[in-house]
Amino acid sequence: MGATDAAATVDAGMDSALVETIQRIEEGDVLVVNGDSRTWDVSDVVDRSIEDPSDARESKRVCRLSCGASVFGLELVAYPDRYTASLHVLATEDWTEDGQVFDVHDVEILTQQVPWVVVTGGGDTYHFPDPQAAAFGEAQPACGGGNPGAAYRVVRSNTVRPTYSACKDCLRHEKPVALESVTCPSCSKSICHGTFQGGAVGAVDGLSITCPRCDFEGVADVDVASGFAGVDDSKA
């Protein structure tokens, strides 16, 4: 992160998509800010109008972020003609960050909604299933898990929430997104739909298929959604 003076503002041409992302943040979300190595829990969100006529600001939204012993404040300020976003260090394990303010140029809300998850007996964290292990009928966490000797099982996600929390390594690196329905280019038969995992799934734009109806063999276009869209009980 690049530090800036606390009085400085972010470029008035701040990307509208970034503004919308910050406006969508809710308590309980998990974030990555500016591509940093930390994964932040959102513990509180406050929206406040500014009525003082001498203040150029119209309103502000402040999100309290926690990661270990570090606590930062993500602030979005609305002016009549622009927005600014900044990250304020409230408490930190790194003394070199103490009291600093950082420009915000990227915020990612990590997806936590998946239909099936991997858990251990008596645990308090759920994981995304490892797709290669799942192909062989095995239940293993996508992140590798912290305990090699643990016995995992696959369950529906709605059976573990809110008692369990998501594994941050799985959230950050596996990034599940929906695979929209794939149809045969020749006869339009529906072939499959499901979920992709992994940070590079955006590079996938087609699947090699053999249609069971018309015997078409070739590549069918696919539409990988920008975020998980509630795909259930299916495999790509």
Side-chain angles (χ1 to χ4, degrees), residues 177 179 182 196-198 200-208 220-225:
V177 295
L179 170 67
V182 177
F196 276 152
Q197 287 180 199
V201 297
V204 177
D205 59 9
L207 291 178
S208 178
D221 293 337
V222 300
D223 179 16
V224 179

Side-chain angles (χ1 to χ4, degrees), residues 102-161:
F102 300 96
D103 290 343
V104 174
H105 55 76
D106 181 69
V107 175
E108 181 180 7
I109 303 174
L110 297 179
T111 300
Q112 301 182 64
Q113 300 296 323
V114 290
W116 298 95
V117 297
V118 173
V119 301
T120 59
D124 58 1
T125 300
Y126 68 80
H127 302 264
F128 296 163
D130 182 291
Q132 289 184 318
F136 292 95
E138 301 173 358
Q140 294 294 331
C143 67
N147 184 358
Y152 293 95
R153 69 186 191 280
V154 178
V155 299
R156 280 189 173 275
S157 58
N158 59 11
T159 66
V160 299
R161 295 195 187 95

